[in-house]
Amino acid sequence: MANNEDEAEKLLQEAKDQSRHKTEPENEQTDTPPLEDAVADAYRRLDSNDLPSNISLRDDNLAALFAGLEESGELSELGNATADELGREATINTRADVLRLLLRYAISDIDDSILDRGKSGRTQYLTEVDDF
């Protein structure tokens, strides 16, 4: 019986160690490229159809909210207000137009440098394309 308990304790400890390793931030890896390089690479993969250009998520609450915003006619207002906050001019025709603006706004509100570094990655990619 004690042998089974020892084995169970050993397996439990191994499981704990494995889960700890999985929760470590991936940015601490030494071979992780800077965001600018990763974005430029993502544009290359988009060009070669190795990366989908859509982002999707499932969320019943957000789905219901956006359906309600559309039906109530408030979706365009939200999109225009978000564009104003970003200092952008935007044409709001679809839910996707508003979602793009909202994602950019949320990212800029949390860490504006992320969008700046993303733009640098795009510039890096476009410079490579123009050099051909």
Side-chain angles (χ1 to χ4, degrees):
M1 208 37 110
N3 194 18
N4 287 342
E5 288 177 11
D6 290 342
E7 184 65 26
E9 183 63 32
K10 181 181 174 185
L11 290 171
L12 179 62
Q13 190 59 41
E14 287 175 6
K16 286 181 181 178
D17 290 342
Q18 288 176 353
S19 64
R20 282 190 199 126
H21 295 297
K22 290 179 182 177
T23 59
E24 291 178 7
E26 292 182 21
N27 293 349
E28 292 181 12
Q29 297 174 357
T30 57
D31 59 345
T32 302
L35 179 59
E36 297 83 351
D37 293 347
V39 169
D41 182 57
Y43 277 109
R44 283 184 222 103
R45 293 183 2 231
L46 282 165
D47 273 353
S48 63
N49 294 319
D50 291 332
L51 180 68
S53 63
N54 61 328
I55 299 171
S56 60
L57 61 96
R58 292 190 198 294
D59 187 302
D60 289 347
N61 296 326
L62 287 175
L65 176 63
F66 275 86
L69 287 166
E70 285 176 317
E71 290 175 23
S72 68
E74 295 182 44
L75 186 64
S76 292
E77 293 175 32
L78 178 61
N80 288 325
T82 307
D84 289 345
E85 286 292 320
L86 288 169
R88 292 175 159 234
E89 289 191 28
T91 303
I92 309 298
N93 292 321
T94 66
R95 181 189 299 193
D97 295 333
V98 177
L99 288 169
R100 279 191 290 272
L101 290 167
L102 288 169
L103 280 172
R104 285 184 176 91
Y105 178 77
I107 292 168
S108 70
D109 191 46
I110 293 168
D111 184 350
D112 212 18
S113 75
I114 292 174
L115 291 178
D116 291 338
R117 291 183 294 147
K119 289 177 189 176
S120 294
R122 179 168 168 77
T123 300
Q124 176 183 329
Y125 164 76
L126 291 173
T127 302
E128 292 170 3
V129 172
D130 288 342
D131 286 343
F132 286 114

